[in-house]
Amino acid sequence: MDHPAGTSPDILFDVRRVTRRFDGVTAVADVSFSVARGECVSVIGPNGAGKSTLFNLLSGADVPDEGVIRFDGEDVTGFAPERFAARGVARTFQHGRVFGNLSVLDNVLIGAHARLELARRGLPGVGAVAELLRALFAPPGVRREQERLDGEARAILARFGSRLMPRIDSPAHSLSYANRRRVEIARALMLQPRILLLDEPTAGMNESETAEMLALLLELKGEGTTILLIEHKLELVMTLSDRVIVLDDGRKIASGAPDAVRNDPAVIEAYLGHRQVGRDASQRAAVA
């Protein structure tokens, strides 16, 4: 069951009756839910259910037509992506986004941008000039900051072990698809996020790679990281999630504990259709 609006100081994200339409097609329809601090909530549903559109609304990549989005009690509806990032909302994308000509390390360092002092102040036009001067003259304080951030980035990359550390100076375009997704997650972690929005983090990964990613996400969850997850691999969802929200055709059709949602007739129907509701749970998981 979703947390009631405004009833707990532990609520980090509070989404109320959010709707988004595109040329008469409703991609997200009157969706409400909340995410508490330290919680892992997964959003699942068939292809085209509105999951990535919802993430776009929660990270500033898009703006809802109706509804209210609150983050830590603040109305952030319609905020630009950089304002979400400045509040600690970090996300990855369904189709991984890396800077191909930059090294793995530099891709991750970009994640610290929203933490820089001038960026937090949001002074238009000043940031670029100041950063250029800092790069040209590099006073001791700046060098120390660069060394500190470099150390942070390397520590984050070390979480991925042999997948990324041996490639730390390689251009991102030379990486496998799975490693690009790892770089994107590392960059999101560099923001020191208050909430991590992961859009299909195991897409394109085989069974062993998926198990590695699950282990990392369980580690982050154990450290208290708040996670909102889109994922098609149902077993990962069931292992990791405190609650699951199910979308179908833009609408929320179920929410609750993983086991309850997994056996909800409306969820089974959404994934499999009317004629296949009788399949056993293992078959349902394989299809989902």
Side-chain angles (χ1 to χ4, degrees), residues 27-248:
V28 174
D30 198 32
V31 170
S32 297
F33 67 94
S34 59
V35 182
R37 302 175 202 278
E39 198 175 25
C40 177
V41 176
S42 290
V43 181
I44 67 172
N47 290 331
K51 304 182 295 297
S52 291
T53 299
L54 177 63
F55 263 36
N56 287 341
L57 299 175
L58 299 181
S59 59
D62 199 2
V63 179
D65 296 305
E66 299 171 14
V68 176
I69 301 169
R70 293 186 179 88
F71 185 76
D72 201 12
E74 178 186 14
D75 187 345
V76 295
T77 311
F79 275 23
E82 59 269 22
R83 297 182 71 186
F84 275 96
R87 283 156 178 77
V89 179
R91 74 164 293 185
T92 65
F93 291 83
Q94 182 179 8
H95 304 291
R97 300 182 182 181
V98 296
F99 297 92
N101 291 325
L102 296 182
S103 70
V104 167
L105 179 61
D106 286 341
N107 264 275
V108 176
L109 285 168
I110 286 172
H113 174 73
R115 294 163 46 196
L116 299 177
E117 182 179 357
L118 287 170
R120 286 198 302 269
R121 290 177 185 171
L123 300 178
V126 174
V129 174
E131 289 302 315
L132 176 61
L133 293 174
R134 285 156 63 94
L136 289 173
F137 298 105
V142 171
R143 289 196 296 271
R144 286 194 297 270
E145 180 185 45
Q146 290 172 337
E147 290 170 0
R148 177 179 60 81
L149 292 175
D150 185 88
E152 282 186 34
R154 290 175 183 272
I156 290 170
L157 286 166
R159 287 181 176 267
F160 298 87
S162 62
R163 298 293 187 181
L164 293 181
M165 284 303 289
R167 301 170 176 84
I168 195 168
D169 295 318
S170 299
H173 69 74
S174 69
L175 301 180
S176 67
Y177 182 77
N179 275 338
R180 292 184 192 187
R181 298 199 73 84
R182 293 183 178 99
V183 169
E184 192 181 19
I185 293 170
R187 186 174 64 214
L189 291 174
M190 192 65 187
L191 182 64
Q192 295 184 345
R194 298 176 67 194
I195 187 168
L196 190 58
L197 278 62
L198 300 176
D199 194 343
E200 298 190 35
T202 68
M205 294 187 180
N206 61 32
E207 187 174 342
S208 64
E209 291 170 331
T210 298
E212 288 177 16
M213 184 59 66
L214 174 59
L216 173 64
L217 296 180
L218 286 170
E219 184 178 287
L220 291 172
K221 180 181 176 181
E223 294 168 0
T225 304
T226 307
I227 300 172
L228 186 61
L229 173 75
I230 294 174
E231 183 56 63
H232 281 292
K233 295 177 182 176
L234 199 57
E235 290 306 319
L236 181 146
V237 168
M238 297 300 151
T239 301
L240 183 66
S241 306
D242 297 301
R243 289 184 298 119
V244 179
I245 297 165
V246 187
L247 298 184
D248 186 30

